[in-house]
PDB file of all heavy atoms in Angstrom:
ATOM      1  N   LEU A   1     118.432  99.491  66.497  1.00  0.00           N
ATOM      2  CA  LEU A   1     117.960  98.438  67.414  1.00  0.00           C
ATOM      3  C   LEU A   1     118.435  97.040  67.121  1.00  0.00           C
ATOM      4  O   LEU A   1     118.698  96.226  68.020  1.00  0.00           O
ATOM      5  CB  LEU A   1     116.423  98.416  67.443  1.00  0.00           C
ATOM      6  CG  LEU A   1     115.744  99.721  67.923  1.00  0.00           C
ATOM      7  CD1 LEU A   1     114.234  99.638  67.723  1.00  0.00           C
ATOM      8  CD2 LEU A   1     116.064  99.937  69.411  1.00  0.00           C
ATOM      9  N   GLY A   2     118.587  96.691  65.841  1.00  0.00           N
ATOM     10  CA  GLY A   2     118.902  95.314  65.472  1.00  0.00           C
ATOM     11  C   GLY A   2     117.674  94.478  65.316  1.00  0.00           C
ATOM     12  O   GLY A   2     116.595  94.822  65.840  1.00  0.00           O
ATOM     13  N   ASN A   3     117.787  93.368  64.606  1.00  0.00           N
ATOM     14  CA  ASN A   3     116.635  92.537  64.274  1.00  0.00           C
ATOM     15  C   ASN A   3     115.946  91.935  65.519  1.00  0.00           C
ATOM     16  O   ASN A   3     114.732  92.057  65.668  1.00  0.00           O
ATOM     17  CB  ASN A   3     117.049  91.399  63.351  1.00  0.00           C
ATOM     18  CG  ASN A   3     117.497  91.908  61.984  1.00  0.00           C
ATOM     19  OD1 ASN A   3     118.599  91.634  61.580  1.00  0.00           O
ATOM     20  ND2 ASN A   3     116.652  92.624  61.304  1.00  0.00           N
ATOM     21  N   ARG A   4     116.728  91.264  66.325  1.00  0.00           N
ATOM     22  CA  ARG A   4     116.124  90.537  67.437  1.00  0.00           C
ATOM     23  C   ARG A   4     115.445  91.469  68.429  1.00  0.00           C
ATOM     24  O   ARG A   4     114.336  91.202  68.886  1.00  0.00           O
ATOM     25  CB  ARG A   4     117.167  89.686  68.147  1.00  0.00           C
ATOM     26  CG  ARG A   4     116.564  88.661  69.117  1.00  0.00           C
ATOM     27  CD  ARG A   4     117.669  88.006  69.990  1.00  0.00           C
ATOM     28  NE  ARG A   4     118.236  88.971  70.892  1.00  0.00           N
ATOM     29  CZ  ARG A   4     119.540  89.189  71.047  1.00  0.00           C
ATOM     30  NH1 ARG A   4     120.396  88.508  70.315  1.00  0.00           N
ATOM     31  NH2 ARG A   4     120.009  90.065  71.882  1.00  0.00           N
ATOM     32  N   ARG A   5     116.100  92.550  68.759  1.00  0.00           N
ATOM     33  CA  ARG A   5     115.505  93.490  69.706  1.00  0.00           C
ATOM     34  C   ARG A   5     114.230  94.123  69.142  1.00  0.00           C
ATOM     35  O   ARG A   5     113.263  94.326  69.871  1.00  0.00           O
ATOM     36  CB  ARG A   5     116.526  94.593  70.057  1.00  0.00           C
ATOM     37  CG  ARG A   5     116.071  95.476  71.222  1.00  0.00           C
ATOM     38  CD  ARG A   5     117.169  96.453  71.583  1.00  0.00           C
ATOM     39  NE  ARG A   5     118.399  95.814  71.904  1.00  0.00           N
ATOM     40  CZ  ARG A   5     119.576  96.426  72.015  1.00  0.00           C
ATOM     41  NH1 ARG A   5     119.656  97.730  71.793  1.00  0.00           N
ATOM     42  NH2 ARG A   5     120.652  95.767  72.317  1.00  0.00           N
ATOM     43  N   SER A   6     114.242  94.410  67.841  1.00  0.00           N
ATOM     44  CA  SER A   6     113.031  94.966  67.219  1.00  0.00           C
ATOM     45  C   SER A   6     111.881  93.987  67.268  1.00  0.00           C
ATOM     46  O   SER A   6     110.725  94.359  67.515  1.00  0.00           O
ATOM     47  CB  SER A   6     113.319  95.369  65.768  1.00  0.00           C
ATOM     48  OG  SER A   6     114.243  96.440  65.712  1.00  0.00           O
ATOM     49  N   ILE A   7     112.181  92.716  67.025  1.00  0.00           N
ATOM     50  CA  ILE A   7     111.150  91.659  67.087  1.00  0.00           C
ATOM     51  C   ILE A   7     110.580  91.557  68.525  1.00  0.00           C
ATOM     52  O   ILE A   7     109.372  91.470  68.695  1.00  0.00           O
ATOM     53  CB  ILE A   7     111.699  90.329  66.622  1.00  0.00           C
ATOM     54  CG1 ILE A   7     111.974  90.364  65.101  1.00  0.00           C
ATOM     55  CG2 ILE A   7     110.730  89.183  66.954  1.00  0.00           C
ATOM     56  CD1 ILE A   7     112.681  89.167  64.581  1.00  0.00           C
ATOM     57  N   GLU A   8     111.454  91.628  69.497  1.00  0.00           N
ATOM     58  CA  GLU A   8     111.002  91.569  70.879  1.00  0.00           C
ATOM     59  C   GLU A   8     110.099  92.776  71.223  1.00  0.00           C
ATOM     60  O   GLU A   8     109.046  92.608  71.827  1.00  0.00           O
ATOM     61  CB  GLU A   8     112.184  91.474  71.830  1.00  0.00           C
ATOM     62  CG  GLU A   8     112.952  90.146  71.719  1.00  0.00           C
ATOM     63  CD  GLU A   8     114.234  90.196  72.527  1.00  0.00           C
ATOM     64  OE1 GLU A   8     114.645  91.262  73.009  1.00  0.00           O
ATOM     65  OE2 GLU A   8     114.869  89.122  72.656  1.00  0.00           O
ATOM     66  N   ILE A   9     110.540  93.948  70.830  1.00  0.00           N
ATOM     67  CA  ILE A   9     109.764  95.141  71.110  1.00  0.00           C
ATOM     68  C   ILE A   9     108.392  95.063  70.398  1.00  0.00           C
ATOM     69  O   ILE A   9     107.343  95.319  71.004  1.00  0.00           O
ATOM     70  CB  ILE A   9     110.506  96.417  70.655  1.00  0.00           C
ATOM     71  CG1 ILE A   9     111.733  96.659  71.537  1.00  0.00           C
ATOM     72  CG2 ILE A   9     109.583  97.666  70.695  1.00  0.00           C
ATOM     73  CD1 ILE A   9     112.667  97.760  71.032  1.00  0.00           C
ATOM     74  N   GLY A  10     108.416  94.663  69.143  1.00  0.00           N
ATOM     75  CA  GLY A  10     107.183  94.528  68.369  1.00  0.00           C
ATOM     76  C   GLY A  10     106.252  93.499  68.982  1.00  0.00           C
ATOM     77  O   GLY A  10     105.063  93.717  69.059  1.00  0.00           O
ATOM     78  N   GLY A  11     106.815  92.350  69.392  1.00  0.00           N
ATOM     79  CA  GLY A  11     105.961  91.313  69.974  1.00  0.00           C
ATOM     80  C   GLY A  11     105.307  91.765  71.266  1.00  0.00           C
ATOM     81  O   GLY A  11     104.119  91.491  71.533  1.00  0.00           O
ATOM     82  N   ILE A  12     106.059  92.468  72.087  1.00  0.00           N
ATOM     83  CA  ILE A  12     105.508  92.965  73.344  1.00  0.00           C
ATOM     84  C   ILE A  12     104.395  93.975  73.081  1.00  0.00           C
ATOM     85  O   ILE A  12     103.322  93.917  73.695  1.00  0.00           O
ATOM     86  CB  ILE A  12     106.609  93.632  74.210  1.00  0.00           C
ATOM     87  CG1 ILE A  12     107.572  92.572  74.738  1.00  0.00           C
ATOM     88  CG2 ILE A  12     105.998  94.401  75.388  1.00  0.00           C
ATOM     89  CD1 ILE A  12     108.823  93.106  75.367  1.00  0.00           C
ATOM     90  N   LEU A  13     104.635  94.920  72.179  1.00  0.00           N
ATOM     91  CA  LEU A  13     103.620  95.934  71.855  1.00  0.00           C
ATOM     92  C   LEU A  13     102.341  95.292  71.270  1.00  0.00           C
ATOM     93  O   LEU A  13     101.246  95.659  71.592  1.00  0.00           O
ATOM     94  CB  LEU A  13     104.174  96.966  70.876  1.00  0.00           C
ATOM     95  CG  LEU A  13     105.260  97.898  71.413  1.00  0.00           C
ATOM     96  CD1 LEU A  13     105.798  98.805  70.324  1.00  0.00           C
ATOM     97  CD2 LEU A  13     104.690  98.728  72.585  1.00  0.00           C
ATOM     98  N   MET A  14     102.519  94.310  70.388  1.00  0.00           N
ATOM     99  CA  MET A  14     101.345  93.655  69.810  1.00  0.00           C
ATOM    100  C   MET A  14     100.572  92.868  70.825  1.00  0.00           C
ATOM    101  O   MET A  14      99.336  92.828  70.819  1.00  0.00           O
ATOM    102  CB  MET A  14     101.767  92.792  68.606  1.00  0.00           C
ATOM    103  CG  MET A  14     102.111  93.613  67.391  1.00  0.00           C
ATOM    104  SD  MET A  14     102.279  92.610  65.906  1.00  0.00           S
ATOM    105  CE  MET A  14     103.818  91.752  66.255  1.00  0.00           C
ATOM    106  N   ALA A  15     101.252  92.166  71.753  1.00  0.00           N
ATOM    107  CA  ALA A  15     100.556  91.438  72.801  1.00  0.00           C
ATOM    108  C   ALA A  15      99.767  92.426  73.682  1.00  0.00           C
ATOM    109  O   ALA A  15      98.614  92.199  73.994  1.00  0.00           O
ATOM    110  CB  ALA A  15     101.549  90.640  73.673  1.00  0.00           C
ATOM    111  N   LEU A  16     100.385  93.553  74.029  1.00  0.00           N
ATOM    112  CA  LEU A  16      99.703  94.541  74.825  1.00  0.00           C
ATOM    113  C   LEU A  16      98.506  95.117  74.048  1.00  0.00           C
ATOM    114  O   LEU A  16      97.452  95.409  74.644  1.00  0.00           O
ATOM    115  CB  LEU A  16     100.674  95.679  75.193  1.00  0.00           C
ATOM    116  CG  LEU A  16     101.771  95.373  76.227  1.00  0.00           C
ATOM    117  CD1 LEU A  16     102.724  96.526  76.335  1.00  0.00           C
ATOM    118  CD2 LEU A  16     101.147  95.002  77.565  1.00  0.00           C
ATOM    119  N   GLY A  17      98.651  95.256  72.724  1.00  0.00           N
ATOM    120  CA  GLY A  17      97.563  95.769  71.923  1.00  0.00           C
ATOM    121  C   GLY A  17      96.394  94.788  71.931  1.00  0.00           C
ATOM    122  O   GLY A  17      95.223  95.223  72.053  1.00  0.00           O
ATOM    123  N   GLN A  18      96.666  93.506  71.859  1.00  0.00           N
ATOM    124  CA  GLN A  18      95.587  92.506  71.891  1.00  0.00           C
ATOM    125  C   GLN A  18      94.917  92.496  73.263  1.00  0.00           C
ATOM    126  O   GLN A  18      93.643  92.366  73.353  1.00  0.00           O
ATOM    127  CB  GLN A  18      96.093  91.116  71.529  1.00  0.00           C
ATOM    128  CG  GLN A  18      96.694  90.981  70.152  1.00  0.00           C
ATOM    129  CD  GLN A  18      95.632  91.006  69.044  1.00  0.00           C
ATOM    130  OE1 GLN A  18      94.481  91.356  69.236  1.00  0.00           O
ATOM    131  NE2 GLN A  18      96.069  90.647  67.845  1.00  0.00           N
ATOM    132  N   PHE A  19      95.687  92.652  74.300  1.00  0.00           N
ATOM    133  CA  PHE A  19      95.107  92.682  75.636  1.00  0.00           C
ATOM    134  C   PHE A  19      94.270  93.947  75.850  1.00  0.00           C
ATOM    135  O   PHE A  19      93.266  93.930  76.554  1.00  0.00           O
ATOM    136  CB  PHE A  19      96.167  92.556  76.710  1.00  0.00           C
ATOM    137  CG  PHE A  19      96.848  91.188  76.736  1.00  0.00           C
ATOM    138  CD1 PHE A  19      98.198  91.080  76.862  1.00  0.00           C
ATOM    139  CD2 PHE A  19      96.082  90.044  76.584  1.00  0.00           C
ATOM    140  CE1 PHE A  19      98.823  89.845  76.837  1.00  0.00           C
ATOM    141  CE2 PHE A  19      96.696  88.805  76.593  1.00  0.00           C
ATOM    142  CZ  PHE A  19      98.060  88.679  76.719  1.00  0.00           C
ATOM    143  N   ALA A  20      94.694  95.056  75.235  1.00  0.00           N
ATOM    144  CA  ALA A  20      93.875  96.286  75.259  1.00  0.00           C
ATOM    145  C   ALA A  20      92.548  96.051  74.559  1.00  0.00           C
ATOM    146  O   ALA A  20      91.496  96.518  75.007  1.00  0.00           O
ATOM    147  CB  ALA A  20      94.652  97.459  74.636  1.00  0.00           C
ATOM    148  N   MET A  21      92.557  95.295  73.445  1.00  0.00           N
ATOM    149  CA  MET A  21      91.344  94.951  72.777  1.00  0.00           C
ATOM    150  C   MET A  21      90.454  94.072  73.655  1.00  0.00           C
ATOM    151  O   MET A  21      89.210  94.195  73.668  1.00  0.00           O
ATOM    152  CB  MET A  21      91.649  94.237  71.464  1.00  0.00           C
ATOM    153  CG  MET A  21      92.392  95.082  70.435  1.00  0.00           C
ATOM    154  SD  MET A  21      91.472  96.550  69.878  1.00  0.00           S
ATOM    155  CE  MET A  21      90.109  95.784  69.006  1.00  0.00           C
ATOM    156  N   PHE A  22      91.077  93.172  74.413  1.00  0.00           N
ATOM    157  CA  PHE A  22      90.328  92.341  75.356  1.00  0.00           C
ATOM    158  C   PHE A  22      89.619  93.196  76.390  1.00  0.00           C
ATOM    159  O   PHE A  22      88.401  93.037  76.697  1.00  0.00           O
ATOM    160  CB  PHE A  22      91.248  91.351  76.061  1.00  0.00           C
ATOM    161  CG  PHE A  22      90.700  90.717  77.288  1.00  0.00           C
ATOM    162  CD1 PHE A  22      89.683  89.744  77.188  1.00  0.00           C
ATOM    163  CD2 PHE A  22      91.123  91.091  78.545  1.00  0.00           C
ATOM    164  CE1 PHE A  22      89.204  89.156  78.329  1.00  0.00           C
ATOM    165  CE2 PHE A  22      90.623  90.526  79.686  1.00  0.00           C
ATOM    166  CZ  PHE A  22      89.617  89.512  79.583  1.00  0.00           C
ATOM    167  N   PHE A  23      90.368  94.170  76.950  1.00  0.00           N
ATOM    168  CA  PHE A  23      89.750  95.062  77.963  1.00  0.00           C
ATOM    169  C   PHE A  23      88.704  95.955  77.321  1.00  0.00           C
ATOM    170  O   PHE A  23      87.722  96.307  77.954  1.00  0.00           O
ATOM    171  CB  PHE A  23      90.823  95.862  78.658  1.00  0.00           C
ATOM    172  CG  PHE A  23      91.685  95.045  79.638  1.00  0.00           C
ATOM    173  CD1 PHE A  23      93.035  94.922  79.385  1.00  0.00           C
ATOM    174  CD2 PHE A  23      91.098  94.435  80.703  1.00  0.00           C
ATOM    175  CE1 PHE A  23      93.815  94.161  80.266  1.00  0.00           C
ATOM    176  CE2 PHE A  23      91.851  93.655  81.611  1.00  0.00           C
ATOM    177  CZ  PHE A  23      93.216  93.543  81.359  1.00  0.00           C
ATOM    178  N   SER A  24      88.903  96.333  76.086  1.00  0.00           N
ATOM    179  CA  SER A  24      87.915  97.116  75.342  1.00  0.00           C
ATOM    180  C   SER A  24      86.592  96.324  75.251  1.00  0.00           C
ATOM    181  O   SER A  24      85.516  96.863  75.511  1.00  0.00           O
ATOM    182  CB  SER A  24      88.416  97.464  73.950  1.00  0.00           C
ATOM    183  OG  SER A  24      87.378  98.066  73.169  1.00  0.00           O
ATOM    184  N   ALA A  25      86.698  95.040  74.927  1.00  0.00           N
ATOM    185  CA  ALA A  25      85.511  94.217  74.789  1.00  0.00           C
ATOM    186  C   ALA A  25      84.889  93.900  76.130  1.00  0.00           C
ATOM    187  O   ALA A  25      83.734  93.438  76.189  1.00  0.00           O
ATOM    188  CB  ALA A  25      85.850  92.944  74.022  1.00  0.00           C
ATOM    189  N   SER A  26      85.644  94.098  77.211  1.00  0.00           N
ATOM    190  CA  SER A  26      85.130  93.866  78.554  1.00  0.00           C
ATOM    191  C   SER A  26      84.533  95.114  79.168  1.00  0.00           C
ATOM    192  O   SER A  26      83.840  95.034  80.202  1.00  0.00           O
ATOM    193  CB  SER A  26      86.260  93.363  79.478  1.00  0.00           C
ATOM    194  OG  SER A  26      86.883  92.217  78.941  1.00  0.00           O
ATOM    195  N   ALA A  27      84.755  96.288  78.520  1.00  0.00           N
ATOM    196  CA  ALA A  27      84.262  97.539  79.029  1.00  0.00           C
ATOM    197  C   ALA A  27      82.997  97.958  78.266  1.00  0.00           C
ATOM    198  O   ALA A  27      82.440  97.158  77.476  1.00  0.00           O
ATOM    199  CB  ALA A  27      85.346  98.633  78.913  1.00  0.00           C
ATOM    200  N   SER A  28      82.591  99.172  78.477  1.00  0.00           N
ATOM    201  CA  SER A  28      81.401  99.669  77.772  1.00  0.00           C
ATOM    202  C   SER A  28      81.540 101.167  77.547  1.00  0.00           C
ATOM    203  O   SER A  28      82.340 101.822  78.157  1.00  0.00           O
ATOM    204  CB  SER A  28      80.091  99.399  78.584  1.00  0.00           C
ATOM    205  OG  SER A  28      80.163 100.015  79.850  1.00  0.00           O
ATOM    206  N   GLY A  29      80.706 101.664  76.621  1.00  0.00           N
ATOM    207  CA  GLY A  29      80.671 103.108  76.352  1.00  0.00           C
ATOM    208  C   GLY A  29      81.993 103.679  75.820  1.00  0.00           C
ATOM    209  O   GLY A  29      82.696 103.062  75.057  1.00  0.00           O
ATOM    210  N   GLY A  30      82.303 104.883  76.331  1.00  0.00           N
ATOM    211  CA  GLY A  30      83.510 105.584  75.861  1.00  0.00           C
ATOM    212  C   GLY A  30      84.776 104.859  76.220  1.00  0.00           C
ATOM    213  O   GLY A  30      85.776 104.925  75.462  1.00  0.00           O
ATOM    214  N   ALA A  31      84.815 104.163  77.351  1.00  0.00           N
ATOM    215  CA  ALA A  31      86.012 103.402  77.762  1.00  0.00           C
ATOM    216  C   ALA A  31      86.328 102.316  76.765  1.00  0.00           C
ATOM    217  O   ALA A  31      87.512 102.085  76.446  1.00  0.00           O
ATOM    218  CB  ALA A  31      85.841 102.816  79.140  1.00  0.00           C
ATOM    219  N   ALA A  32      85.313 101.646  76.245  1.00  0.00           N
ATOM    220  CA  ALA A  32      85.540 100.574  75.276  1.00  0.00           C
ATOM    221  C   ALA A  32      86.173 101.132  73.999  1.00  0.00           C
ATOM    222  O   ALA A  32      87.100 100.540  73.431  1.00  0.00           O
ATOM    223  CB  ALA A  32      84.247  99.856  74.954  1.00  0.00           C
ATOM    224  N   ILE A  33      85.664 102.261  73.534  1.00  0.00           N
ATOM    225  CA  ILE A  33      86.198 102.870  72.331  1.00  0.00           C
ATOM    226  C   ILE A  33      87.627 103.379  72.523  1.00  0.00           C
ATOM    227  O   ILE A  33      88.485 103.199  71.669  1.00  0.00           O
ATOM    228  CB  ILE A  33      85.260 104.005  71.831  1.00  0.00           C
ATOM    229  CG1 ILE A  33      83.902 103.391  71.417  1.00  0.00           C
ATOM    230  CG2 ILE A  33      85.897 104.723  70.655  1.00  0.00           C
ATOM    231  CD1 ILE A  33      82.883 104.432  71.002  1.00  0.00           C
ATOM    232  N   SER A  34      87.865 104.018  73.689  1.00  0.00           N
ATOM    233  CA  SER A  34      89.208 104.508  73.966  1.00  0.00           C
ATOM    234  C   SER A  34      90.211 103.371  74.036  1.00  0.00           C
ATOM    235  O   SER A  34      91.339 103.454  73.478  1.00  0.00           O
ATOM    236  CB  SER A  34      89.201 105.286  75.291  1.00  0.00           C
ATOM    237  OG  SER A  34      88.399 106.413  75.242  1.00  0.00           O
ATOM    238  N   LEU A  35      89.829 102.278  74.686  1.00  0.00           N
ATOM    239  CA  LEU A  35      90.742 101.117  74.771  1.00  0.00           C
ATOM    240  C   LEU A  35      90.976 100.488  73.402  1.00  0.00           C
ATOM    241  O   LEU A  35      92.052  99.969  73.115  1.00  0.00           O
ATOM    242  CB  LEU A  35      90.168 100.105  75.741  1.00  0.00           C
ATOM    243  CG  LEU A  35      90.317 100.449  77.238  1.00  0.00           C
ATOM    244  CD1 LEU A  35      89.458  99.549  78.091  1.00  0.00           C
ATOM    245  CD2 LEU A  35      91.801 100.339  77.669  1.00  0.00           C
ATOM    246  N   MET A  36      89.918 100.521  72.560  1.00  0.00           N
ATOM    247  CA  MET A  36      90.106 100.027  71.203  1.00  0.00           C
ATOM    248  C   MET A  36      91.174 100.809  70.471  1.00  0.00           C
ATOM    249  O   MET A  36      92.035 100.234  69.784  1.00  0.00           O
ATOM    250  CB  MET A  36      88.770 100.053  70.435  1.00  0.00           C
ATOM    251  CG  MET A  36      88.863  99.505  69.023  1.00  0.00           C
ATOM    252  SD  MET A  36      87.464  99.973  67.956  1.00  0.00           S
ATOM    253  CE  MET A  36      87.874 101.715  67.591  1.00  0.00           C
ATOM    254  N   TRP A  37      91.129 102.152  70.565  1.00  0.00           N
ATOM    255  CA  TRP A  37      92.126 102.981  69.898  1.00  0.00           C
ATOM    256  C   TRP A  37      93.532 102.741  70.466  1.00  0.00           C
ATOM    257  O   TRP A  37      94.511 102.705  69.704  1.00  0.00           O
ATOM    258  CB  TRP A  37      91.756 104.441  70.034  1.00  0.00           C
ATOM    259  CG  TRP A  37      90.593 104.867  69.160  1.00  0.00           C
ATOM    260  CD1 TRP A  37      89.391 105.345  69.567  1.00  0.00           C
ATOM    261  CD2 TRP A  37      90.544 104.863  67.729  1.00  0.00           C
ATOM    262  NE1 TRP A  37      88.587 105.606  68.524  1.00  0.00           N
ATOM    263  CE2 TRP A  37      89.264 105.317  67.362  1.00  0.00           C
ATOM    264  CE3 TRP A  37      91.442 104.442  66.732  1.00  0.00           C
ATOM    265  CZ2 TRP A  37      88.850 105.384  66.025  1.00  0.00           C
ATOM    266  CZ3 TRP A  37      91.034 104.559  65.409  1.00  0.00           C
ATOM    267  CH2 TRP A  37      89.760 105.042  65.084  1.00  0.00           C
ATOM    268  N   VAL A  38      93.599 102.516  71.757  1.00  0.00           N
ATOM    269  CA  VAL A  38      94.902 102.194  72.352  1.00  0.00           C
ATOM    270  C   VAL A  38      95.407 100.874  71.781  1.00  0.00           C
ATOM    271  O   VAL A  38      96.588 100.757  71.405  1.00  0.00           O
ATOM    272  CB  VAL A  38      94.787 102.103  73.910  1.00  0.00           C
ATOM    273  CG1 VAL A  38      96.083 101.543  74.514  1.00  0.00           C
ATOM    274  CG2 VAL A  38      94.509 103.466  74.492  1.00  0.00           C
ATOM    275  N   GLY A  39      94.528  99.885  71.726  1.00  0.00           N
ATOM    276  CA  GLY A  39      94.924  98.583  71.218  1.00  0.00           C
ATOM    277  C   GLY A  39      95.356  98.650  69.785  1.00  0.00           C
ATOM    278  O   GLY A  39      96.399  98.057  69.391  1.00  0.00           O
ATOM    279  N   LEU A  40      94.629  99.365  68.940  1.00  0.00           N
ATOM    280  CA  LEU A  40      94.961  99.471  67.534  1.00  0.00           C
ATOM    281  C   LEU A  40      96.304 100.184  67.355  1.00  0.00           C
ATOM    282  O   LEU A  40      97.139  99.769  66.518  1.00  0.00           O
ATOM    283  CB  LEU A  40      93.885 100.227  66.751  1.00  0.00           C
ATOM    284  CG  LEU A  40      92.532  99.532  66.595  1.00  0.00           C
ATOM    285  CD1 LEU A  40      91.568 100.415  65.843  1.00  0.00           C
ATOM    286  CD2 LEU A  40      92.712  98.172  65.891  1.00  0.00           C
ATOM    287  N   THR A  41      96.555 101.212  68.116  1.00  0.00           N
ATOM    288  CA  THR A  41      97.817 101.964  68.029  1.00  0.00           C
ATOM    289  C   THR A  41      98.986 101.035  68.394  1.00  0.00           C
ATOM    290  O   THR A  41     100.003 101.029  67.703  1.00  0.00           O
ATOM    291  CB  THR A  41      97.820 103.171  68.954  1.00  0.00           C
ATOM    292  OG1 THR A  41      96.720 104.039  68.604  1.00  0.00           O
ATOM    293  CG2 THR A  41      99.094 103.948  68.904  1.00  0.00           C
ATOM    294  N   LEU A  42      98.844 100.306  69.473  1.00  0.00           N
ATOM    295  CA  LEU A  42      99.936  99.375  69.880  1.00  0.00           C
ATOM    296  C   LEU A  42     100.149  98.285  68.852  1.00  0.00           C
ATOM    297  O   LEU A  42     101.312  97.956  68.547  1.00  0.00           O
ATOM    298  CB  LEU A  42      99.599  98.747  71.239  1.00  0.00           C
ATOM    299  CG  LEU A  42      99.636  99.675  72.464  1.00  0.00           C
ATOM    300  CD1 LEU A  42      99.049  98.985  73.672  1.00  0.00           C
ATOM    301  CD2 LEU A  42     101.049 100.148  72.729  1.00  0.00           C
ATOM    302  N   LEU A  43      99.082  97.804  68.275  1.00  0.00           N
ATOM    303  CA  LEU A  43      99.230  96.739  67.233  1.00  0.00           C
ATOM    304  C   LEU A  43      99.937  97.280  65.991  1.00  0.00           C
ATOM    305  O   LEU A  43     100.756  96.622  65.422  1.00  0.00           O
ATOM    306  CB  LEU A  43      97.831  96.201  66.853  1.00  0.00           C
ATOM    307  CG  LEU A  43      97.150  95.308  67.910  1.00  0.00           C
ATOM    308  CD1 LEU A  43      95.696  95.104  67.577  1.00  0.00           C
ATOM    309  CD2 LEU A  43      97.880  93.966  68.029  1.00  0.00           C
TER     310      LEU A  43
END
């Protein structure tokens, strides 16, 4: 991949992970936990 492309991919995935955590905190029940796992995986 190269350095710059890897940083870009990593940055996008981490931003998506944080937004998944946001949606997790906006949801409830099983959806909140599922979104948390998605967020952690992306991060």
